[in-house]
Protein backbone atom coordinates (compact mmCIF):
# COMPACT_ATOMS: atom_id res chain seq x y z
CA UNK A 1 0.00 0.00 0.00
CA UNK A 2 1.33 3.49 -0.71
CA UNK A 3 1.99 6.16 1.89
CA UNK A 4 -1.67 7.14 2.02
CA UNK A 5 -4.02 5.25 4.33
CA UNK A 6 -6.49 2.89 2.67
CA UNK A 7 -9.64 5.06 3.21
CA UNK A 8 -7.86 8.00 1.54
CA UNK A 9 -6.82 5.84 -1.43
CA UNK A 10 -10.34 4.47 -1.84
CA UNK A 11 -11.91 7.93 -1.59
CA UNK A 12 -9.49 9.30 -4.17
CA UNK A 13 -10.22 6.40 -6.53
CA UNK A 14 -13.97 6.20 -5.94
CA UNK A 15 -14.92 6.93 -9.58
CA UNK A 16 -12.55 4.24 -10.86
CA UNK A 17 -13.82 1.76 -8.25
CA UNK A 18 -17.43 2.41 -9.26
CA UNK A 19 -16.60 2.07 -12.96
CA UNK A 20 -14.70 -1.20 -12.46
CA UNK A 21 -17.46 -2.49 -10.18
CA UNK A 22 -20.09 -1.89 -12.88
CA UNK A 23 -17.98 -3.72 -15.43
CA UNK A 24 -17.33 -6.54 -12.98
CA UNK A 25 -21.04 -6.88 -12.27
CA UNK A 26 -21.92 -7.08 -15.96
CA UNK A 27 -19.06 -9.46 -16.71
CA UNK A 28 -20.40 -12.12 -14.34
CA UNK A 29 -23.41 -12.70 -16.57
CA UNK A 30 -21.97 -11.87 -19.97
CA UNK A 31 -23.19 -14.28 -22.64
CA UNK A 32 -26.32 -15.43 -20.80
CA UNK A 33 -29.73 -14.64 -22.26
CA UNK A 34 -31.08 -13.01 -19.10
CA UNK A 35 -27.82 -11.17 -18.39
CA UNK A 36 -27.69 -9.33 -15.07
CA UNK A 37 -31.23 -10.47 -14.23
CA UNK A 38 -29.64 -13.69 -12.96
CA UNK A 39 -28.09 -11.67 -10.14
CA UNK A 40 -31.59 -10.97 -8.85
CA UNK A 41 -33.30 -14.24 -9.81
CA UNK A 42 -30.88 -16.50 -7.91
CA UNK A 43 -31.33 -14.92 -4.45
CA UNK A 44 -35.12 -14.84 -4.87
CA UNK A 45 -35.17 -18.55 -5.74
CA UNK A 46 -32.94 -19.28 -2.72
CA UNK A 47 -35.29 -17.41 -0.34
CA UNK A 48 -38.34 -19.21 -1.76
CA UNK A 49 -36.57 -22.56 -1.53
CA UNK A 50 -35.63 -22.08 2.13
CA UNK A 51 -39.13 -20.80 2.89
CA UNK A 52 -40.73 -23.83 1.25
CA UNK A 53 -38.45 -26.29 3.05
CA UNK A 54 -38.89 -24.78 6.52
CA UNK A 55 -42.49 -23.60 6.25
CA UNK A 56 -44.05 -26.31 4.11
CA UNK A 57 -41.65 -29.20 3.59
CA UNK A 58 -40.49 -29.94 7.14
CA UNK A 59 -43.71 -28.57 8.63
CA UNK A 60 -43.99 -29.78 12.25
CA UNK A 61 -40.36 -30.92 12.36
CA UNK A 62 -39.24 -27.33 11.83
CA UNK A 63 -41.74 -25.85 14.29
CA UNK A 64 -39.13 -25.56 17.05
CA UNK A 65 -36.90 -23.52 14.77
CA UNK A 66 -39.73 -21.03 14.22
CA UNK A 67 -40.85 -20.79 17.85
CA UNK A 68 -41.32 -17.19 18.93
CA UNK A 69 -41.54 -15.81 15.38
CA UNK A 70 -44.84 -13.93 15.25
CA UNK A 71 -44.63 -12.57 11.71
CA UNK A 72 -44.83 -14.49 8.40
CA UNK A 73 -41.78 -16.76 8.35
CA UNK A 74 -40.79 -15.67 4.84
CA UNK A 75 -40.34 -12.08 6.08
CA UNK A 76 -38.29 -13.16 9.08
CA UNK A 77 -36.18 -15.39 6.85
CA UNK A 78 -35.62 -12.69 4.23
CA UNK A 79 -34.48 -10.17 6.86
CA UNK A 80 -31.67 -12.58 7.72
CA UNK A 81 -30.81 -13.82 4.24
CA UNK A 82 -30.51 -10.43 2.51
CA UNK A 83 -27.45 -9.28 4.52
CA UNK A 84 -26.01 -12.79 4.42
CA UNK A 85 -26.23 -12.88 0.60
CA UNK A 86 -24.09 -9.74 0.45
CA UNK A 87 -21.60 -11.07 2.99
CA UNK A 88 -21.03 -14.37 1.16
CA UNK A 89 -20.91 -12.76 -2.28
CA UNK A 90 -18.41 -10.07 -1.27
CA UNK A 91 -16.14 -12.39 0.73
CA UNK A 92 -16.23 -15.23 -1.81
CA UNK A 93 -15.55 -13.07 -4.86
CA UNK A 94 -13.24 -10.69 -3.03
CA UNK A 95 -10.97 -13.56 -2.01
CA UNK A 96 -9.98 -14.31 -5.59
CA UNK A 97 -9.94 -10.76 -6.93
CA UNK A 98 -6.13 -10.46 -7.32
CA UNK A 99 -5.94 -13.67 -9.32
CA UNK A 100 -8.89 -12.63 -11.46
CA UNK A 101 -7.34 -9.22 -12.21
CA UNK A 102 -3.73 -10.37 -12.33
CA UNK A 103 -3.15 -8.28 -15.47
CA UNK A 104 -3.88 -5.15 -13.43
CA UNK A 105 -1.79 -6.32 -10.49
CA UNK A 106 1.24 -6.53 -12.77
CA UNK A 107 0.86 -2.92 -13.89
CA UNK A 108 3.31 -0.81 -11.92
CA UNK A 109 1.17 2.33 -11.97
CA UNK A 110 -2.13 0.68 -11.01
CA UNK A 111 -3.37 1.00 -7.42
CA UNK A 112 -4.01 -2.66 -6.71
CA UNK A 113 -5.34 -1.86 -3.24
CA UNK A 114 -8.63 -0.78 -4.84
CA UNK A 115 -9.36 -4.22 -6.34
CA UNK A 116 -10.88 -5.81 -3.21
CA UNK A 117 -13.08 -2.71 -2.89
CA UNK A 118 -14.24 -3.25 -6.50
CA UNK A 119 -15.67 -6.67 -5.59
CA UNK A 120 -17.34 -5.29 -2.48
CA UNK A 121 -18.88 -2.47 -4.50
CA UNK A 122 -20.00 -4.86 -7.24
CA UNK A 123 -21.86 -6.97 -4.68
CA UNK A 124 -23.55 -3.84 -3.31
CA UNK A 125 -25.56 -3.37 -6.52
CA UNK A 126 -27.61 -6.49 -5.82
CA UNK A 127 -27.70 -5.82 -2.08
CA UNK A 128 -29.22 -2.36 -2.48
CA UNK A 129 -31.88 -3.76 -4.79
CA UNK A 130 -32.85 -6.49 -2.32
CA UNK A 131 -32.90 -4.14 0.64
CA UNK A 132 -35.39 -1.94 -1.23
CA UNK A 133 -37.35 -4.98 -2.42
CA UNK A 134 -37.48 -6.31 1.14
CA UNK A 135 -38.70 -3.00 2.58
CA UNK A 136 -41.45 -2.81 -0.06
CA UNK A 137 -42.48 -6.41 0.67
CA UNK A 138 -42.66 -5.69 4.40
CA UNK A 139 -44.73 -2.58 3.61
CA UNK A 140 -47.15 -4.56 1.44
CA UNK A 141 -47.64 -7.02 4.29
CA UNK A 142 -48.46 -4.31 6.82
CA UNK A 143 -45.05 -3.42 8.26
CA UNK A 144 -44.83 0.27 7.36
CA UNK A 145 -41.30 1.73 7.17
CA UNK A 146 -40.45 4.08 10.02
CA UNK A 147 -37.46 5.65 11.77
CA UNK A 148 -36.10 2.25 12.79
CA UNK A 149 -36.08 1.09 9.18
CA UNK A 150 -33.32 3.63 8.49
CA UNK A 151 -31.05 1.54 10.69
CA UNK A 152 -30.68 -0.86 7.75
CA UNK A 153 -28.29 1.74 6.30
CA UNK A 154 -26.24 1.71 9.52
CA UNK A 155 -26.08 -2.09 9.62
CA UNK A 156 -25.14 -2.23 5.92
CA UNK A 157 -22.26 0.19 6.52
CA UNK A 158 -21.23 -1.84 9.57
CA UNK A 159 -21.21 -5.03 7.48
CA UNK A 160 -19.05 -3.42 4.78
CA UNK A 161 -16.64 -2.21 7.47
CA UNK A 162 -16.34 -5.71 8.94
CA UNK A 163 -15.92 -7.26 5.50
CA UNK A 164 -13.13 -4.89 4.53
CA UNK A 165 -10.55 -6.51 6.78
CA UNK A 166 -11.68 -10.03 5.84
CA UNK A 167 -11.58 -9.38 2.09
CA UNK A 168 -8.20 -7.62 2.12
CA UNK A 169 -6.60 -10.38 4.21
CA UNK A 170 -8.13 -13.22 2.19
CA UNK A 171 -7.33 -11.66 -1.20
CA UNK A 172 -3.68 -11.26 -0.20
CA UNK A 173 -3.17 -14.67 1.40
CA UNK A 174 -4.88 -16.66 -1.38
CA UNK A 175 -2.20 -15.47 -3.83
CA UNK A 176 0.27 -17.67 -1.91
CA UNK A 177 -2.15 -20.25 -0.50
CA UNK A 178 -4.74 -21.19 -3.13
CA UNK A 179 -6.68 -23.50 -0.82
CA UNK A 180 -7.85 -20.49 1.17
CA UNK A 181 -10.66 -19.94 -1.35
CA UNK A 182 -12.04 -23.38 -0.45
CA UNK A 183 -11.65 -22.65 3.25
CA UNK A 184 -13.56 -19.37 2.88
CA UNK A 185 -16.38 -21.15 1.03
CA UNK A 186 -16.53 -23.74 3.84
CA UNK A 187 -16.60 -21.06 6.55
CA UNK A 188 -19.45 -19.30 4.75
CA UNK A 189 -21.38 -22.55 4.54
CA UNK A 190 -20.91 -23.18 8.27
CA UNK A 191 -21.73 -19.55 9.05
CA UNK A 192 -25.12 -19.84 7.35
CA UNK A 193 -26.23 -22.10 10.20
CA UNK A 194 -24.06 -20.71 13.00
CA UNK A 195 -25.04 -17.04 12.58
CA UNK A 196 -28.02 -18.09 12.93
CA UNK A 197 -30.22 -17.25 9.97
CA UNK A 198 -32.62 -20.17 9.60
CA UNK A 199 -33.59 -20.59 13.23
CA UNK A 200 -34.54 -18.40 16.18
CA UNK A 201 -31.72 -18.42 18.72
CA UNK A 202 -33.80 -16.60 21.33
CA UNK A 203 -36.24 -19.48 21.83
CA UNK A 204 -33.97 -22.54 21.51
CA UNK A 205 -34.10 -23.67 25.13
CA UNK A 206 -32.13 -26.85 24.46
CA UNK A 207 -28.99 -24.83 23.69
CA UNK A 208 -26.69 -24.17 26.70
CA UNK A 209 -26.33 -20.54 27.75
CA UNK A 210 -22.60 -20.56 27.03
CA UNK A 211 -23.26 -21.78 23.47
CA UNK A 212 -25.85 -19.06 22.88
CA UNK A 213 -23.39 -16.44 24.12
CA UNK A 214 -20.67 -17.84 21.87
CA UNK A 215 -22.95 -17.72 18.82
CA UNK A 216 -23.82 -14.09 19.57
CA UNK A 217 -20.12 -13.17 19.53
CA UNK A 218 -20.13 -13.86 15.79
CA UNK A 219 -20.05 -10.35 14.24
CA UNK A 220 -22.54 -11.40 11.57
CA UNK A 221 -25.07 -12.24 14.28
CA UNK A 222 -25.01 -8.54 15.14
CA UNK A 223 -25.76 -7.64 11.50
CA UNK A 224 -28.51 -10.21 10.92
CA UNK A 225 -30.15 -9.45 14.27
CA UNK A 226 -29.82 -5.76 13.44
CA UNK A 227 -31.74 -6.11 10.18
CA UNK A 228 -34.50 -7.92 12.05
CA UNK A 229 -34.46 -5.30 14.81
CA UNK A 230 -34.84 -2.59 12.18
CA UNK A 231 -37.64 -4.20 10.20
CA UNK A 232 -39.46 -6.39 12.70
CA UNK A 233 -38.72 -5.69 16.36
CA UNK A 234 -38.28 -1.92 16.01
CA UNK A 235 -35.30 -1.85 18.33
CA UNK A 236 -32.44 0.65 18.15
CA UNK A 237 -28.82 -0.47 17.96
CA UNK A 238 -28.11 1.71 21.01
CA UNK A 239 -30.32 -0.64 23.01
CA UNK A 240 -27.64 -3.33 22.63
CA UNK A 241 -24.57 -1.41 23.85
CA UNK A 242 -22.44 -4.46 24.69
CA UNK A 243 -23.07 -6.18 21.36
CA UNK A 244 -22.48 -2.92 19.50
CA UNK A 245 -19.20 -2.29 21.34
CA UNK A 246 -18.07 -5.89 20.74
CA UNK A 247 -18.90 -5.74 17.03
CA UNK A 248 -16.95 -2.54 16.44
CA UNK A 249 -14.02 -3.77 18.51
CA UNK A 250 -13.78 -6.93 16.38
CA UNK A 251 -14.29 -4.92 13.18
CA UNK A 252 -11.45 -2.50 14.02
CA UNK A 253 -9.10 -5.39 14.90
CA UNK A 254 -9.98 -7.33 11.73
CA UNK A 255 -9.58 -4.17 9.63
CA UNK A 256 -6.08 -3.36 10.90
CA UNK A 257 -4.90 -6.97 10.75
CA UNK A 258 -6.36 -7.51 7.27
CA UNK A 259 -4.99 -4.33 5.74
CA UNK A 260 -1.61 -4.91 7.42
CA UNK A 261 -1.38 -8.36 5.82
CA UNK A 262 -2.29 -6.87 2.44
CA UNK A 263 0.34 -4.13 2.83
CA UNK A 264 3.09 -6.59 3.79
CA UNK A 265 2.39 -8.96 0.90
CA UNK A 266 1.50 -6.56 -1.92
CA UNK A 267 5.08 -6.15 -3.16
CA UNK A 268 5.21 -9.89 -3.91
CA UNK A 269 1.90 -10.19 -5.76
CA UNK A 270 3.23 -9.45 -9.24
CA UNK A 271 6.08 -11.95 -8.86
CA UNK A 272 3.81 -14.79 -7.73
CA UNK A 273 0.99 -14.09 -10.18
Amino acid sequence: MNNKCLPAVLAQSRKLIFSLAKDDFKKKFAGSNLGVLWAFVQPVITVLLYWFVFEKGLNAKAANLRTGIEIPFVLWLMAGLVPWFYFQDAWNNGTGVLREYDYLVKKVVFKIEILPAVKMCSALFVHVFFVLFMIVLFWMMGYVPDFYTLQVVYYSIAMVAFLTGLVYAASAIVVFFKDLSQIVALLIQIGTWATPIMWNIETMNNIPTWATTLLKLNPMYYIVAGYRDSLIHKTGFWEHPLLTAWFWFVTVVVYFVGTHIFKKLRMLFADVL
Side-chain angles (χ1 to χ4, degrees), residues 14 32 47 57 62 68 73 90 101 108 187 196 198 203 257 269:
R14 59 188 181 278
S32 61
V47 171
F73 184 66
Y101 289 94
V108 178
L187 290 175
M198 314 294 179
T203 57
V257 171
F269 292 158

Side-chain angles (χ1 to χ4, degrees), residues 3-261:
N3 294 329
K4 293 183 179 179
C5 64
L6 180 61
V9 173
L10 298 182
Q12 186 181 50
S13 307
R14 59 188 181 278
K15 291 183 179 180
L16 178 59
I17 292 173
F18 186 73
S19 177
L20 289 174
K22 286 195 300 181
D23 292 340
D24 179 84
F25 179 67
K26 295 176 182 177
K27 185 176 67 175
K28 290 180 187 177
F29 309 97
S32 61
N33 292 329
L34 293 180
V36 297
L37 286 178
W38 281 115
F40 308 102
V41 171
Q42 291 170 348
V44 169
I45 295 299
T46 303
V47 171
L48 292 176
L49 180 62
Y50 280 132
W51 170 76
F52 178 80
V53 169
F54 285 96
E55 184 78 7
K56 304 297 181 182
L58 296 180
N59 203 356
K61 293 181 180 179
N64 290 335
L65 300 178
R66 305 194 303 269
T67 302
I69 301 173
E70 298 178 353
I71 72 167
F73 184 66
V74 67
L75 295 182
W76 187 87
L77 185 62
M78 180 173 284
L81 283 173
V82 165
W84 187 257
F85 284 152
Y86 174 74
F87 177 79
Q88 69 176 12
D89 190 20
W91 197 15
N92 247 333
N93 294 324
T95 296
V97 66
L98 298 180
R99 289 189 169 276
E100 181 179 347
Y101 289 94
D102 58 346
Y103 59 94
L104 292 178
V105 175
K106 295 174 183 178
K107 288 186 177 182
V108 178
V109 297
F110 187 81
K111 299 176 182 178
I112 60 176
E113 52 264 39
I114 74 171
L115 289 176
V118 168
K119 285 295 185 181
M120 295 173 66
C121 182
S122 175
L124 270 178
F125 296 142
V126 177
H127 182 64
V128 170
F129 169 82
F130 274 103
V131 166
L132 296 176
F133 174 78
M134 178 173 59
I135 291 173
V136 171
L137 184 60
F138 268 78
W139 196 348
M140 291 173 61
M141 298 188 73
Y143 296 85
V144 181
D146 55 14
F147 169 76
Y148 289 104
T149 307
L150 295 176
Q151 286 186 132
V152 169
V153 176
Y154 159 75
Y155 284 110
S156 294
I157 293 172
M159 180 166 51
V160 171
F162 173 62
L163 264 169
T164 299
L166 289 179
V167 171
Y168 273 83
S171 64
I173 295 172
V174 79
V175 173
F176 307 91
F177 180 57
K178 296 180 181 179
D179 289 355
L180 181 62
S181 59
Q182 303 302 322
I183 294 174
V184 167
L186 180 61
L187 290 175
I188 290 174
Q189 187 176 3
I190 294 172
T192 304
W193 299 97
T195 298
I197 296 171
M198 314 294 179
W199 49 284
N200 189 2
I201 192 174
E202 303 298 338
T203 57
M204 297 295 286
N205 297 324
N206 58 330
I207 299 179
T209 303
W210 65 265
T212 301
T213 301
L214 187 62
L215 288 172
K216 288 184 177 181
L217 292 179
N218 171 6
M220 279 305 293
Y221 167 79
Y222 177 76
I223 301 299
V224 169
Y227 271 65
R228 287 172 175 156
D229 282 344
S230 304
L231 296 165
I232 301 170
H233 307 304
K234 304 304 179 182
T235 304
F237 68 88
W238 56 86
E239 297 181 54
H240 304 293
L242 292 180
L243 270 179
T244 298
W246 168 253
F247 172 83
W248 284 108
F249 170 76
V250 173
T251 295
V252 169
V253 171
V254 170
Y255 171 81
F256 281 108
V257 171
T259 54
H260 179 73
I261 291 173

